[in-house]
Each structure stands twice: as structure tokens, then as C-alpha cells.
Amino acid sequence: QLLRQLQAAHGAQIAPASYADGLDTAPAALRFAPADTADMLPQLERALGSGAVILDRSHWRVIRLSGVDRLRFLHSQTTNSFVGAPAGAVLDACVLDSQGRTVDLLTAVDVQSVDELVLLASPNRGKRVAAALEKVIFPLDKVRCALEPEGASAVFELLGARAAEATAAALGLSVDALPATDRCVVVGEILVLGSTSLSRVHGRGCILLAPAARAADLWTSLAGTGGVNSPMLGGEAEWQALRVACGRPFPDAELTREINPLEAGLYHTISFSKGCYLGQETVAKVNGAPAPKQRLLGVRLDGPALPGTALFADDDGGARAGVVTSMLSCGTGLVMIRSAVGTAGLRVRSAPDELGVVRRGTALEVPFASRSEAQSAGPREQVGVVAGGGTPAPSAVDAKALAAAADAAAAEGVRKAAKLVEMQARFEAFKAKTAKA
């Protein structure tokens, strides 16, 4: 593929990305930093502060939902509120299992010009998420789900102080023509999202989703000449370093069967005012407790410790504090810490490794995390406060959203009733067939 050849010429290591569950992707840009780079964070932080970083996420999976029921369907299957969302909104949402554990953290955008919801799923979860969604589509649902083949689209993420300038220049636009934060625009064949997987921490950025045929030309336009003023290039390793540094959870590390989305600091992806969805009861129960049993925090150790390493309070008591979930070679990582033992600021030590080495450090708050219902995704009609307290009167936009939500709720009731009738008819036919046999 021409894109991979261009990236290899810029020093990229091209190979399949491998994950803890044993899944390997198609060949991807694994890293642009030299293999002997012990800590790529300082260079990334400098580039973010004064320029831009371009991250190739083309190995991530794209799922497309089409049909008039697409928003209602996704609304009923994920944690965020899609019914009544503004046109072209970019939203993050969690897909949960029946126990309320997070299967994946998605980015979703409704592209109304093509009547399609585009979902960006983790590379090691896209197939599972698509299969789970397809499984709950009934004949009366006017929605279709399609998982794009690997490599069908290019996904480039731009972050940093000059990310908007780099994006606009590559697309031949003015910066003012780019979408606002949490919105999208379509430029020719390219879908431009005004926020990124790490926007909660790194501010305004863009994600570009383009057909594979446009990938090489678009990458060349974004990367520039490779001079001192060109953006820093990054792949899987660079994205992983940034997400660990800011606390963005990832499947099989912080999104597992032992961790629910509130413990992972994902309140901002959850609407507590919407109807039922898979795993909602567990989420509501955890939200009603005084505090989650454990929390996702950062950690800075005096050296690296393997994921899965047990942590203890570094005091006379030495209570079991938690476990390492992700770790960079510099000792910066993510950990799950038991609330009963401590929170940010807790001094910790690791269990000895196979050579008897014990690492020590401090648990830290992470900027990506949201920790309370006040930071949740809804309700949309209660945004803002009037002088003297209270909730402002709904605006015309709010009223329109409320009306859309009410219409959707009514339509959902009709759909469920029709589905029940259909299922009852199938059951009666099965009984009749069994009786004849």
C-alpha cells in the first residue's frame, strides 16, 4: 500500500499491531520514534505545545449504521444520548456487557448528508462491537450495520497548538471553515471531526476519515516536507503514549470485565436521564454508591512495572492498593486503585518482579477522567444556570430536542409493542409445529 511505503520512508515501523487478547491487525504504522527511544513523551509534549502531531489510526475499525432508526437504535445500545443530539454532533459512548463492564469506548458521529452514523471502534473491539449490534437488530428495525473491511478507510488524528492550521492547509480550507468542537463537516470524500480521542486533554483537534484511495495524498499534505516546521508524525506507539499520559482507558487494559465505566472515569460518556440499555442497572447502582470501589488513576514510578503487577500502599500497613493496567518504559502508567486505600497522592510500591526489583512512586489524578454525575453527558435541557440558581427556561433548540426525544420515545413504544406481537406469533407457530410432531 502506498501510504505504508510513504510512512516507512519517514522512518515508520510497519507491522501488524498486536493486543492482549491475541488479535493482530492488518499492517499498521506502529511507531515513528526510533526503537531505542526510552521516553517519547517529552518530544510529543513539545510538538503539542508549539506545533502539531499527526497520528495514524487507520488500523482502528469503522462501523457504519444506516437507516432512519439509526439514532434511536444506537441510543438504546450505548451509554450516551443520541436522540435529540444536535445535527452533526460528535459523541463518545460506551458499549457495555450485561454486567455493566465496558466492551469499548466509541466515537460516533451522525453524518446527515449521507444518512449514516459512523462509529470509530478500537482496533481490537470493532468486530465484537459490530457483531453485538447486529445481533439485536430485529426485522422491524429500520437500521443496517456494516463493519468496514480493514484498510477501507484512513483515519488520521491531529493534535496540538497548530493542528487546526495543519488540517485546514491540507484540505485547502480556512481555519474558520473547520467544524466546531464536537461537530463534523464533509469536505469532498473526507469526513472531518472537530474533536479527537484526546480532546478532553489536548483541546481542539481533528480526526480525518478518508477513503483508502485518498490516504497517501492526504498523508503527504498533512505531513509536509518533514522540515522543522512540519508536524510530528506518530502511529500506534505514540497514540498509546499520549493516552496513557492523560488517562484515556483502552480495551483489555482499563476496559475489562473487572472495571465498569464509572470506575474508569467515563462519566462524560453516560447519560443518566435516558431509557434502558445493556448494563444500565449496574451503572445506576455504582452511581448511587458513596464512591466507586476502585478508580483509574495515573502513576509515576521510579521505573517500569509490567501491567498486572500488584501495588501496595508504601507505608507501615502495606495494604493491597491496586494493580498496574498500562505502563510506559519511563515509569509513567495507569493503575486501578481501591478507593478504601487511597486516591491521588497515595504513595505506592510494587510487588517484586522476577528479579526482586520493587518500584516506588505516587498515584496521580489523570486529566482525561470525569468523576461525577455533574460531568455526565446529560440531560441536554439542563445546561447552564440562571442567576440566583435554578435551571434556565428551555431555549428553542432545547424545546426542539425535547420534542424529538418525546417523539422517539413514543416510536420506541410502538416498535416494542409490534416486536412483542411478532415474537408471540413466532412462539405460537413453534408450539403448533411441536404439537403436530
Side-chain angles (χ1 to χ4, degrees):
Q1 189 180 10
L2 181 56
L3 171 64
R4 300 304 180 210
Q5 295 172 2
L6 291 171
Q7 291 173 332
H10 281 97
Q13 177 187 348
I14 307 298
S18 300
Y19 298 95
D21 59 0
L23 185 143
D24 291 342
T25 70
L30 294 189
R31 61 187 296 147
F32 283 80
D36 60 353
T37 303
D39 183 5
M40 62 179 70
L41 279 177
Q43 186 180 1
L44 284 166
E45 290 168 353
R46 287 193 296 271
L48 290 169
S50 61
V53 176
I54 303 173
L55 302 167
D56 183 5
R57 294 172 57 201
S58 300
H59 57 299
W60 286 56
R61 302 308 301 271
V62 177
I63 303 171
R64 298 180 184 271
L65 297 178
S66 56
V68 295
D69 285 343
R70 62 187 185 278
L71 284 171
R72 176 205 55 75
F73 175 75
L74 192 63
H75 182 91
S76 68
Q77 300 300 321
T78 61
T79 58
N80 212 327
S81 180
F82 289 90
V83 172
V90 180
L91 298 172
D92 285 341
C94 293
V95 177
L96 307 182
D97 65 16
S98 59
Q99 302 302 313
R101 271 46 176 183
T102 310
V103 175
D104 199 10
L105 173 57
L106 305 175
T107 296
V109 55
D110 188 42
V111 189
Q112 295 191 339
S113 59
V114 292
D115 294 327
E116 201 170 55
L117 255 171
V118 178
L119 313 180
L120 189 58
S122 300
N124 56 340
R125 284 293 181 270
K127 189 174 181 179
R128 178 177 170 183
V129 170
L133 294 177
E134 290 177 346
K135 187 176 180 180
V136 293
I137 295 177
F138 287 84
L140 292 178
D141 292 327
K142 298 177 181 178
V143 61
R144 293 175 298 281
C145 177
L147 174 66
E148 273 195 0
E150 288 186 283
S153 293
V155 182
F156 302 141
E157 179 169 342
L158 290 93
L159 300 166
R162 298 181 58 195
E165 295 177 29
T167 304
L171 298 177
L173 303 173
S174 67
V175 172
D176 292 340
L178 294 177
T181 302
D182 297 331
R183 295 292 187 273
C184 76
V185 297
V186 178
V187 180
E189 298 177 282
I190 301 172
L191 176 62
V192 185
L193 280 60
S195 60
T196 73
S197 64
L198 304 175
S199 286
R200 283 181 59 78
V201 178
H202 294 295
R204 188 179 183 187
C206 291
I207 291 177
L208 306 182
L209 184 67
R214 295 289 311 277
D217 288 343
L218 182 58
W219 180 264
T220 299
S221 298
L222 291 168
T225 61
V228 293
N229 294 321
S230 297
M232 180 177 174
L233 308 182
E236 169 74 1
E238 286 82 1
W239 184 86
Q240 289 284 349
L242 287 173
R243 76 98 188 160
V244 169
C246 73
R248 200 266 193 193
F250 190 75
D252 289 331
E254 296 77 33
L255 305 179
T256 72
R257 294 179 179 177
E258 288 75 42
I259 302 170
N260 67 58
L262 303 188
E263 294 170 338
L266 296 175
Y267 277 84
H268 61 280
T269 70
I270 300 169
S271 171
F272 291 96
S273 63
K274 61 181 281 186
C276 62
Y277 54 87
L278 190 65
Q280 183 189 33
E281 290 184 3
T282 299
V283 171
K285 182 178 179 180
V286 174
N287 186 51
K293 292 182 179 180
Q294 56 184 352
R295 287 188 177 94
L296 175 63
L297 296 173
V299 72
R300 187 168 294 125
L301 300 177
D302 56 12
L306 291 174
T309 300
L311 295 174
F312 302 86
D314 195 12
D315 56 23
D316 293 338
R320 176 71 178 260
V323 64
V324 175
T325 59
S326 295
M327 181 59 60
L328 303 179
S329 59
C330 59
T332 295
L334 294 175
V335 293
M336 292 302 300
I337 296 294
R338 293 170 56 208
S339 300
V341 177
T343 183
L346 177 70
R347 295 287 300 172
V348 296
R349 60 177 173 81
S350 72
D353 65 16
E354 59 184 10
L355 298 178
V357 176
V358 174
R359 301 297 187 185
R360 286 181 163 84
T362 305
L364 309 168
E365 184 56 273
V366 285
F368 187 88
S370 48
R371 302 290 189 191
S372 70
E373 189 173 343
Q375 296 174 284
S376 68
R380 298 177 184 279
E381 67 273 15
Q382 295 182 355
V383 176
V385 177
V386 296
T391 301
S395 66
V397 174
D398 293 330
K400 184 177 180 180
L402 286 171
D407 290 344
E412 177 72 355
V414 173
R415 187 188 69 85
K416 286 184 176 179
K419 185 180 295 184
L420 183 61
V421 171
E422 179 188 11
M423 292 174 67
Q424 184 64 34
R426 288 183 178 181
F427 180 65
E428 294 297 335
F430 174 77
K431 286 200 304 182
K433 184 178 180 181
T434 303
K436 288 180 180 180

